[in-house]
Amino acid sequence: MTNLSAHPDQQVFHEHRSLLFSVAYRLLGTAADAEDAVQDAWIKWSAADRSQVADPKAYLARIVSNLALERLRSTRHKRETYVGPWLPEPILTGGDASEVAATAESVSMAMLVVLETLSPLERAVFVLKEVFDFSHAEIAEAVERSEPAVRQAAHRAREHVRARRPRFAADRSRQREATERFFAATTGGDINTLMELLSPDVTLWTDGGGKVRQALRPVVGASTVANWFAAIGTVTYQGIEPADMKAELVEINGGPGIVFSAPGRVIATVTFDFGADGRITGIHNVANPDKLQAVGDGTAYDIGTR
């Protein structure tokens, strides 16, 4: 392995690598694309005249934002023709950032789904302003737009997100407790406890991407969703017998979640959205094998914003 200390430019890039991934992942919603954007940023950084760079962190963040924006525009059609609901690619998270509610919320599956409904420009502006606290001038330079255009996009994006993403959810300890009870009830087939934990109009989104059999439309209502999960321990899933399936509680996208595994592979992740009363209002179930690579690798990402 190359000794980074021998190469100051590599050292600088390495110092900011987690931040660059954090920016790119929030813009793209997939770990694989975010890693590609970070790699492309390294290539551009290596080729740049770094003697002219006054603030490496801002410069690198600008490069990766621009690369992610280009990639986002080119992948939109693919997402519009996706089979069934499109959900972001889940990632395992950890570290100090997981303790900061606002940071965790900004990378939650529910928030990434809302960001998916913005235009690429609005998404980039919202993420850079609201999550990473860039100035309008810095964002204008990053996305190659005028400052007034950035201000306008920021306002539109903020209003859009506010309308679709209520800010008052249950606190993290209640979320954790509800997830643990859900986990026990699912693995034990306890439908009564599941009904207690679910909001009456709970919605379940399942993303199989046409690769594995999943519901192609959202499943709505506590009774239907409770029955869905209570059956997990009693039916064969993707050819796997219940006795061969393992479930564990982990932190996914800044909050408590569940990973279902078979011998040698991850088969699904489940994450939750909570109401102010602590009950589960939304469930995101990712089963598309193409989106389970990052979780399967076991890498825990730092989702910090500094």
Side-chain angles (χ1 to χ4, degrees):
M1 185 179 279
T2 307
N3 180 5
L4 287 171
S5 61
H7 302 276
D9 294 327
Q10 285 190 17
Q11 183 70 45
V12 168
F13 187 88
H14 186 70
E15 279 169 18
H16 300 303
R17 200 183 190 291
S18 289
L19 175 72
L20 301 185
F21 177 85
S22 278
V23 172
Y25 178 71
R26 286 171 173 88
L27 288 180
L28 293 164
T30 91
D33 285 346
E35 290 284 10
D36 285 348
V38 172
Q39 190 57 37
D40 290 347
W42 162 248
I43 292 165
K44 281 186 175 282
W45 169 252
S46 301
D49 178 1
R50 292 178 296 275
S51 65
Q52 302 300 308
V53 177
D55 182 349
K57 179 178 167 184
Y59 181 84
L60 285 165
R62 201 159 61 234
I63 289 175
V64 86
S65 302
N66 208 282
L67 289 164
L69 193 51
E70 282 174 28
R71 196 174 279 266
L72 190 59
R73 288 182 178 125
S74 69
T75 57
R76 269 180 94 72
H77 174 68
K78 201 185 294 180
R79 295 185 188 183
E80 284 161 6
T81 56
Y82 194 78
V83 178
W86 185 94
L87 293 177
E89 181 184 353
I91 57 172
L92 301 174
T93 51
D96 296 339
S98 64
E99 301 307 313
V100 182
T103 300
E105 161 63 11
S106 72
V107 80
S108 69
M109 296 293 274
M111 176 60 91
L112 292 175
V113 167
V114 172
L115 293 181
E116 194 64 23
T117 64
L118 297 171
S119 73
L121 176 65
E122 287 168 350
R123 183 171 186 164
V125 170
F126 180 86
V127 166
L128 293 174
K129 184 79 187 82
E130 301 297 321
V131 182
F132 293 94
D133 203 27
F134 277 46
S135 69
H136 289 113
E138 287 170 324
I139 298 169
E141 199 175 341
V143 300
E144 297 172 348
R145 291 286 196 282
S146 69
E147 207 173 318
V150 162
R151 286 181 184 278
Q152 199 172 24
H155 177 73
R156 281 197 311 270
R158 203 162 41 242
E159 293 300 305
H160 181 96
V161 171
R162 195 176 288 153
R164 288 161 178 76
R165 187 84 194 114
R167 297 192 69 167
F168 302 104
D171 66 53
R172 289 177 66 78
S173 60
R174 283 177 75 189
Q175 291 181 21
R176 178 84 194 174
E177 183 194 347
T179 305
E180 287 171 353
R181 289 185 65 207
F182 184 95
F183 176 80
T186 296
T187 50
D190 180 355
I191 203 155
N192 292 330
T193 299
L194 288 171
M195 289 291 289
E196 278 175 33
L197 292 168
L198 299 172
S199 183
D201 56 355
V202 62
T203 304
L204 162 67
W205 289 270
T206 67
D207 178 345
K211 305 288 176 74
V212 296
R213 208 170 151 203
Q214 291 287 322
L216 295 180
R217 289 187 181 81
V219 178
V220 182
S223 178
T224 315
V225 172
N227 278 296
W228 173 290
F229 280 98
I232 282 177
T234 63
V235 296
T236 300
Y237 179 74
Q238 293 183 35
I240 299 147
E241 295 295 330
D244 295 328
M245 201 184 302
K246 189 177 88 169
E248 61 180 319
L249 274 170
V250 294
E251 186 181 294
I252 302 174
N253 287 72
I258 303 171
V259 172
F260 291 94
S261 307
R265 67 188 175 104
V266 170
I267 54 175
T269 62
V270 174
T271 53
F272 306 92
D273 207 15
F274 298 90
D277 63 358
R279 286 202 285 183
I280 295 165
T281 56
I283 303 176
H284 298 95
N285 170 212
V286 178
N288 181 347
D290 295 346
K291 293 187 178 182
L292 296 171
Q293 187 70 45
V295 171
D297 287 347
T299 305
Y301 288 91
D302 177 356
I303 51 165
T305 58
R306 291 284 172 267

